[in-house]
Amino acid sequence: MKTPPPNNNTQQQNAVETNQLYETYLSTAQLDAMMSQGCFLTPDSLMSYCQTRLRGLDTQIQTAFAKQQQANADSSVLTSLSSQFQLPPKDLDLSSGDPDSDLGNLSPQEYVQNAINALNDAAAKVQDPQTRQALQEAAGKLQKDLDSKSKIKFEDFKAMTTDSVSKIQQDLNSGAELSMIGLQSLMSQRQSAVQMCTNLVQSLGDQINKI
């Protein structure tokens, strides 16, 4: 005895269940693989595929864009910090608490404390964890010298302040450049995905019109 062919209601129900399966359980990568292998998709599952692909790319683009904005803001903080540093004209004897005319009538201790405060303030403003840690480490080195009341050579002070911040900013900008390349790649992928989905929908519409 032959099994009777499924009626229209059964076919529609199967199509609905298939669409739900695509939308609920299949990732964009899985859908891409199925599409490349020529697997059949119903009109609804095809739209789900397009929506899933674009939604995934949009999420990645938003994340990358937010990261780029954060890097730009952090770089501005570092630029402002660099402008606050004034290199001393001589070595700093931290055992002395007397005002020094060469240091703007600040004592060497106050001079170094101002640099520490500037580094810590910048660390509190930046969002990037590595940048924050590097600033805190630079401040910690100065704090250690201040607590020991030792003598800081001009070259050492420069290395712990302006040179350190310059290196931190270079690292941050390098990471931002890589992020920008990634963002541009995602934008290109989205443009290609939109074009592909447009072509698929147009092809589907042409097939329907032929029926």
Side-chain angles (χ1 to χ4, degrees):
M1 180 177 178
K2 295 183 179 180
T3 303
N7 57 35
N8 290 336
N9 291 336
T10 302
Q11 291 177 337
Q12 291 176 357
Q13 179 63 30
N14 289 339
V16 170
E17 291 177 353
T18 300
N19 295 338
Q20 292 175 342
L21 179 64
Y22 279 119
E23 185 173 2
T24 305
Y25 295 105
L26 295 184
S27 66
T28 302
Q30 290 172 312
L31 286 169
D32 285 341
M34 294 182 69
M35 289 291 291
S36 65
Q37 294 171 6
C39 295
F40 173 76
L41 293 178
T42 65
D44 287 340
S45 58
L46 177 60
M47 292 305 299
S48 295
Y49 165 78
C50 294
Q51 291 172 358
T52 300
R53 184 171 179 81
L54 290 175
R55 190 182 303 117
L57 286 171
D58 285 342
T59 299
Q60 294 180 64
I61 289 172
Q62 290 173 2
T63 300
F65 185 70
K67 187 175 182 180
Q68 190 67 32
Q69 287 183 313
Q70 171 188 307
N72 292 339
D74 288 351
S75 183
S76 296
V77 171
L78 295 177
T79 299
S80 176
L81 174 61
S82 297
S83 66
Q84 296 180 44
F85 291 130
Q86 294 182 356
L87 296 178
K90 57 185 179 181
D91 297 343
L92 298 173
D93 183 4
L94 299 182
S95 63
S96 173
D98 298 330
D100 189 329
S101 59
D102 290 337
L103 303 177
N105 290 325
L106 295 175
S107 69
Q109 295 176 1
E110 292 173 330
Y111 196 87
V112 172
Q113 186 62 61
N114 285 347
I116 294 173
N117 293 342
L119 286 166
N120 284 329
D121 288 345
K125 293 177 181 178
V126 297
Q127 298 296 318
D128 180 63
Q130 293 181 343
T131 301
R132 183 185 304 114
Q133 181 179 356
L135 291 170
Q136 291 172 340
E137 289 176 354
K141 292 178 181 179
L142 282 175
Q143 187 64 56
K144 184 177 180 181
D145 288 335
L146 181 60
D147 293 340
S148 64
K149 294 185 177 0
S150 59
K151 191 172 186 177
I152 300 181
K153 293 183 178 180
F154 168 84
E155 295 81 3
D156 293 338
F157 183 86
K158 180 175 180 292
M160 288 185 284
T161 53
T162 55
D163 291 350
S164 180
V165 173
S166 177
K167 176 63 168 57
I168 294 171
Q169 190 165 23
Q170 287 177 4
D171 292 342
L172 179 66
N173 291 340
S174 296
E177 289 176 0
L178 291 176
S179 296
M180 177 58 73
I181 293 174
L183 177 59
Q184 291 173 346
S185 176
L186 288 171
M187 294 293 291
S188 178
Q189 291 179 47
R190 189 186 191 284
Q191 184 176 0
S192 298
V194 169
Q195 185 62 51
M196 181 196 68
C197 293
T198 300
N199 293 340
L200 288 173
V201 171
Q202 183 177 357
S203 176
L204 179 61
D206 292 343
Q207 293 178 13
I208 294 175
N209 291 334
K210 292 178 182 179
I211 298 176

